[in-house]
Amino acid sequence: MTAAIEVQDLAISFPGPSGRVTVIEDIGFQIAAGEVLALVGESGSGKSMTAFGCMRLVPKPGRIDRGRVLLEGRDLLPLPVPDMRAVRGSGISMIFQEPMTSLSPVTTVGDQVIEAIRLHEKISKRGARARVVELFEQVGIPDATSRTSAYPHQLSGGLKQRVMIAMALSTRPRVLIADEPTTALDVTIQAQILELIRELQRETGTAILLITHDLGIVNELADRVAVMYAGRIVERAPRRTLLGAARHPYSQGLLRSMPALARPGQRLEEIPGVVPAPHEWPAGCRFSTRCPRAFEPCAGTVPEDRTQGEGHTAACFALDGEEAS
């Protein structure tokens, strides 16, 4: 399938105690129109920073050191700032993790979506307001006309998230990045938001990068999965393959720790330790300090992707107890 977006060799760095520290390294993936790729991993793995890199929104003093972000074949990284601003929204859009901090508290939600629409197309304010009402109805906001005059503090968490989805879709993007779209929402609202994203993706054919730490959400929405740890992708696979036959020890650890994927009566396991800070990453496999199957090569050599089946790769020296040759 033709990629709506393709990321190649993306690397991002920040100043560290002894010079610049690379926090995202050798990231690559592609997503076809109408496809959902889930980027999963613990907090601190670099998922959101990868999304910021795709949008060219890496906060200073961070910077993109190398790579390509191809939107339907057009590399976004060399674009002049005005051209990139035009691409955001119309070409690639993002649902941010915290709607309360992403919405202005002093402007009505309707006016905020109107501003996004008019920034990317020539349309009257009246026409844009009519579009906002349609969008609010599309994303399931009740009393859509009156809600356009509401301020963010007057809306529940679920409604604010729906406003963010409406804003992200208002310019009909070809690629949508959804960064933890159900964070801090109760279970019922989470299910509604996930169903909404699924319906919109089917209707519009938008390519979606879904960023989450919840493999239950992955099971609901994703076509393919990329597992990220400490700034690198360690495993890629179709959803069913990843959830049923993960090969990397980190992916297996995530699966064993997820209540949504556990069998009744099964004791959940945890991965010991935490994701280390970037300036403390091991020289070889970054999971080696937490991995129960680590052996001599892991600490000093970076493992390369090894094919495990169709569309399935894992970067590990010890797969099913077998040492790499």
Side-chain angles (χ1 to χ4, degrees):
M1 292 185 290
T2 303
I5 185 171
E6 182 173 2
V7 177
Q8 301 174 352
D9 194 30
L10 184 66
I12 298 171
S13 68
F14 281 81
S18 303
R20 296 199 71 87
V21 176
T22 299
V23 300
I24 298 293
E25 187 171 17
D26 299 330
I27 295 298
F29 56 81
Q30 60 182 26
I31 314 172
E35 185 182 32
V36 180
L37 172 68
L39 188 61
V40 306
E42 296 169 278
S43 296
S45 292
K47 307 184 299 298
S48 293
M49 191 56 61
T50 298
F52 292 149
C54 293
M55 297 284 289
R56 270 181 57 184
L57 291 174
V58 175
K60 294 184 181 301
R63 74 183 183 206
I64 298 175
D65 292 322
R66 67 176 184 273
R68 304 177 79 198
V69 178
L70 304 174
L71 180 65
E72 297 179 335
R74 181 191 190 192
D75 192 359
L76 303 183
L77 298 188
L79 291 182
V81 171
D83 291 355
M84 187 62 210
R85 285 178 181 154
V87 168
R88 293 190 199 108
S90 60
I92 181 170
S93 193
M94 186 168 176
I95 303 170
F96 291 92
Q97 189 171 146
E98 294 292 345
M100 197 62 218
T101 58
S102 301
L103 293 168
S104 169
V106 298
T107 307
T108 66
V109 292
D111 283 344
Q112 292 183 60
V113 182
I114 287 171
E115 182 181 4
I117 293 171
R118 299 189 73 195
L119 184 64
H120 293 283
E121 62 180 280
K122 293 181 179 180
I123 186 173
S124 67
K125 192 167 185 179
R126 177 178 294 181
R129 186 170 295 278
R131 172 92 65 79
V132 171
V133 173
E134 291 177 5
L135 284 164
F136 279 13
E137 290 173 345
Q138 185 181 14
V139 300
I141 295 176
D143 302 319
T145 301
S146 63
R147 295 289 189 184
T148 62
S149 300
Y151 289 87
H153 72 272
Q154 296 174 311
L155 302 179
S156 67
L159 287 179
K160 284 195 287 283
Q161 192 63 287
R162 290 171 190 266
V163 169
M164 292 299 299
I165 293 173
M167 186 180 297
L169 295 174
S170 64
T171 51
R172 303 180 180 94
R174 281 97 75 193
V175 177
L176 175 65
I177 299 174
D179 188 1
E180 301 281 8
T182 60
T183 295
L185 302 180
D186 65 51
V187 175
T188 301
I189 301 300
Q190 281 187 24
Q192 293 174 359
I193 295 295
L194 292 177
E195 180 60 28
L196 171 63
I197 293 174
R198 185 187 297 110
E199 290 178 2
L200 294 174
Q201 180 261 338
R202 289 172 184 161
E203 292 172 3
T204 62
T206 302
I208 297 178
L209 175 62
L210 173 67
I211 296 174
T212 183
H213 65 278
D214 189 337
L215 290 175
I217 293 176
V218 171
N219 193 35
E220 290 283 331
L221 287 180
D223 297 301
R224 292 185 297 114
V225 186
V227 181
M228 194 166 184
Y229 182 80
R232 289 183 180 144
I233 293 175
V234 297
E235 186 163 11
R236 313 162 200 266
R239 170 181 53 85
R240 290 185 179 179
T241 302
L242 192 286
L243 297 181
R247 302 281 283 172
H248 196 282
Y250 179 62
S251 305
Q252 294 171 346
L254 290 179
L255 289 167
R256 287 193 295 266
S257 67
M258 290 302 301
L261 302 178
R263 295 187 297 272
Q266 179 182 355
R267 183 180 179 85
L268 297 178
E269 299 180 25
E270 64 179 43
I271 303 173
V274 296
V275 181
H279 65 279
E280 297 175 341
W281 286 340
C285 174
R286 292 173 181 173
F287 187 57
S288 61
T289 55
R290 303 173 68 192
C291 181
R293 288 156 57 188
F295 64 114
E296 185 177 352
C298 303
T301 306
V302 178
E304 296 182 355
D305 285 339
R306 299 172 62 190
T307 300
Q308 304 299 302
E310 185 175 355
H312 187 186
T313 64
C316 180
F317 289 119
L319 294 171
D320 289 343
E322 297 177 2
E323 297 184 0
S325 59

